[in-house]
């Protein structure tokens, strides 16, 4: 237990076993002694305590240092406790050693990285040969087999996207996603993406409204295309009763703002906070019927974060949703 300034006022046996210090050694000391130098510099503990004081509780993960200097991964729960209405405030702090769990997660991420990388080649070969086969069947006017082959190609394309998503996720998790920034005209890029995308979305008219933009932007072109395609795909997927999607390219000061608006199901308040988390999918029946992995928005937001740019969302249930992101001038 800690007092309201973060000083240790009680210390149990489990804490002793975990940290290596006996009660006599730590009582009265500030809890920040268990933090790494870097975390002390960033005032992690002071901020965590302030959050717990304000909100009543706080959870965080970080590195803690034992008496013998060894480190471990900790998950910490801080709960504010008040003695009566005017009584003193103190905090109950529970620490879990999650080092093994973190190591398992890392292994799993590595495994996903390797597996998705290895899957890329065979899928590419499948896609190439089925395209060749389709050409042959077209020449022979074999409609029945061509129809089956087209279904196979649709599924191969899905598999390609899935593997690509998994690969990006594993790179994001391991911090190895490299951005290849270049200078380009965002309006031209949007036009090109919409032209290609429109072919695969015959149910919706993708309308583009462009403002005047007096500058170019600097970003990873291929990744920005990926974000745009994710947003366009969602806009079409989650607006089955509408027939248009509106894309806007505008500018505010030295930032270009690109938005994708749909007139579909919208996203309920409860889900709005979660849609950018990994594997999250809305559980409305409307969403369950639509194929997906819950990775698209997570990937998109992470890509924008790596660019130090923002991806935001506004939505009204039954009316539609607008996703917007920024790009900085070069
Ligand atoms: P996926 O589409 O594969 O489920 P995403 O990460 O792209 O994964 O989206 C996560 C969830 O956010 C979706 O399952 C859906 O519930 C919601 N969502 C995303 N885009 C929209 C949209 N344009 N309109 C309504 N809901 C959306």
């Amino acid at each position: 237990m800690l007092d309201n300034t973060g000083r240790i006022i009680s210390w149990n046996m489990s804490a002793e076993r975990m940290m290596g210090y006996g009660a006599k050694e730590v009582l009265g000391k500030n809890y920040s002694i268990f933090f790494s130098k870097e975390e002390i510099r960033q005032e992690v503990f002071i901020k965590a305590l302030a959050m717990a004081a304000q909100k009543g509780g706080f959870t965080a993960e970080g590195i803690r240092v034992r008496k013998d200097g060894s480190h471990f991964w900790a998950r910490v729960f801080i709960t504010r406790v008040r003695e009566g209405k005017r009584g003193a405030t103190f905090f109950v702090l529970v620490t879990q050693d999650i080092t093994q769990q973190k190591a398992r997660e890392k292994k799993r991420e590595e495994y996903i990285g390797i597996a998705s990388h290895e899957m890329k080649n065979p899928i590419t070969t499948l896609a190439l040969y089925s395209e060749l086969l389709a050409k042959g069947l077209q020449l022979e006017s074999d409609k029945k087999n061509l129809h089956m082959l087209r279904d196979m190609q649709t599924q191969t394309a899905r598999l390609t996207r899935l593997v690509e998503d998994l690969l990006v996720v594993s790179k994001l998790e391991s911090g190895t996603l490299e951005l290849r920034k270049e200078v380009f005209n965002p309006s031209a890029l949007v036009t090109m993406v919409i032209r290609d995308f429109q072919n695969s979305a015959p149910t919706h008219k993708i309308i583009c409204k462009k403002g005047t933009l007096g500058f170019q932007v600097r970003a990873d072109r291929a990744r920005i295309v990926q974000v745009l395609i994710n947003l366009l795909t969602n806009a079409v997927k989650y607006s089955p009763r509408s027939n248009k999607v509106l894309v806007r390219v505008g500018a505010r000061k030295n930032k270009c703002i690109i938005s994708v608006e749909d007139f579909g199901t919208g996203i309920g308040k409860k889900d709005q906070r979660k849609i950018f988390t990994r594997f999250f999918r809305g559980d409305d029946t409307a969403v369950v019927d639509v194929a997906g992995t819950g990775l698209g928005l997570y990937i998109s937001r992470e890509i924008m974060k790596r660019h130090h740019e923002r991806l935001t969302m506004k939505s009204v249930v039954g009316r539609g949703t607008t996703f917007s992101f920024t790009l900085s001038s070069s």
Side-chain angles (χ1 to χ4, degrees):
M1 265 170 8
L2 312 175
D3 71 7
N4 62 353
T5 65
R7 270 196 314 226
I8 300 164
I9 51 177
S10 114
W11 186 253
N12 70 6
M13 274 307 292
S14 300
E16 186 169 336
R17 270 198 301 275
M18 184 178 276
M19 301 292 197
Y21 291 97
K24 279 203 193 100
E25 294 170 282
V26 293
L27 286 178
K29 294 222 170 99
N30 194 287
Y31 190 77
S32 59
I33 56 169
F34 306 114
F35 283 66
S36 65
K37 281 205 186 90
E38 182 53 27
E39 286 189 317
I40 293 174
R41 202 183 58 76
Q42 293 178 0
E43 302 190 328
V44 171
F45 177 59
I46 296 170
K47 286 177 192 159
L49 213 60
M51 286 297 279
Q54 193 192 343
K55 299 208 162 149
F58 189 68
T59 308
E61 288 179 7
I63 302 282
R64 296 292 168 274
V65 188
R66 296 192 189 90
K67 186 179 177 180
D68 63 9
S70 60
H71 293 68
F72 69 99
W73 261 106
R75 179 174 296 141
V76 184
F77 304 90
I78 309 176
T79 310
R80 185 190 63 199
V81 183
R82 229 181 239 141
E83 274 180 338
K85 255 197 167 156
R86 297 236 169 113
T89 298
F90 55 95
F91 299 95
V92 175
L93 193 142
V94 176
T95 303
Q96 268 178 347
D97 184 342
I98 56 164
T99 311
Q100 279 186 357
Q101 187 185 328
K102 281 278 171 191
R104 273 198 302 272
E105 272 173 25
K106 192 158 173 272
K107 268 232 156 69
R108 204 185 56 204
E109 296 299 344
E110 278 169 7
Y111 177 71
I112 292 177
I114 294 166
S116 45
H117 188 77
E118 290 301 317
M119 278 191 274
K120 255 179 101 164
N121 283 339
I123 296 174
T124 312
T125 314
L126 275 177
L128 274 174
Y129 276 101
S130 60
E131 195 50 49
L132 269 181
L133 204 55
K135 287 226 164 73
L137 293 177
Q138 248 164 2
L139 284 176
E140 292 165 18
S141 305
D142 185 346
K143 283 206 178 110
K144 196 172 139 235
N145 283 324
L146 195 61
H147 189 70
M148 284 198 285
L149 192 67
R150 289 293 178 217
D151 283 347
M152 281 171 66
Q153 284 181 314
T154 309
Q155 298 305 322
T156 317
R158 255 182 82 185
L159 210 54
T160 310
R161 277 199 304 276
L162 186 65
V163 167
E164 186 58 37
D165 278 357
L166 284 175
L167 200 59
V168 174
V169 167
S170 87
K171 281 185 183 166
L172 283 168
E173 296 295 313
S174 60
T176 55
L177 184 86
E178 280 175 22
L179 295 182
R180 294 200 188 93
K181 289 194 182 176
E182 54 188 305
V183 176
F184 59 90
N185 175 348
S187 295
L189 184 83
V190 169
T191 308
M192 185 203 80
V193 171
I194 291 179
R195 200 186 50 221
D196 287 351
F197 184 81
Q198 184 69 81
N199 290 334
S200 63
T203 51
H204 290 65
K205 174 104 192 84
I206 319 289
I207 302 161
C208 188
K209 292 195 173 167
K210 289 182 198 161
T212 39
L213 207 70
F215 54 82
Q216 306 219 79
V217 296
R218 208 176 104 81
D220 186 325
R221 235 179 107 96
R223 296 295 173 204
I224 300 303
V225 169
Q226 195 177 3
V227 172
L228 254 174
I229 290 179
N230 277 339
L231 299 182
L232 286 168
T233 309
N234 282 350
V236 169
K237 271 199 317 196
Y238 300 113
S239 64
R241 277 192 281 277
S242 144
N243 59 5
K244 66 173 180 189
V245 172
L246 208 57
V247 181
R248 287 190 184 83
V249 184
R252 197 176 301 149
K253 290 183 184 159
N254 60 344
K255 293 256 184 197
C256 164
I257 302 169
I258 300 176
S259 65
V260 177
E261 178 174 11
D262 68 58
F263 306 88
T265 53
I267 304 167
K269 278 262 166 330
K270 183 172 70 72
D271 284 353
Q272 289 191 5
R273 273 177 289 134
K274 304 184 210 151
I275 53 164
F276 293 105
T277 44
R278 213 163 44 142
F279 298 121
F280 176 81
R281 304 207 69 214
D283 52 12
D284 303 7
T285 43
V287 171
V288 174
D289 283 347
V290 182
T293 53
L295 289 173
L297 286 180
Y298 164 76
I299 291 172
S300 304
R301 173 161 280 183
E302 288 301 314
I303 288 175
M304 295 323 294
K305 262 198 212 161
R306 299 285 146 111
H307 278 86
H308 304 292
E309 302 286 359
R310 284 160 57 83
L311 169 63
T312 53
M313 178 261 319
K314 271 200 187 120
S315 186
V316 180
V317 173
R319 287 261 182 88
T321 309
T322 306
F323 283 91
S324 309
F325 62 91
T326 54
L327 291 172
S328 295
S329 77
S330 59

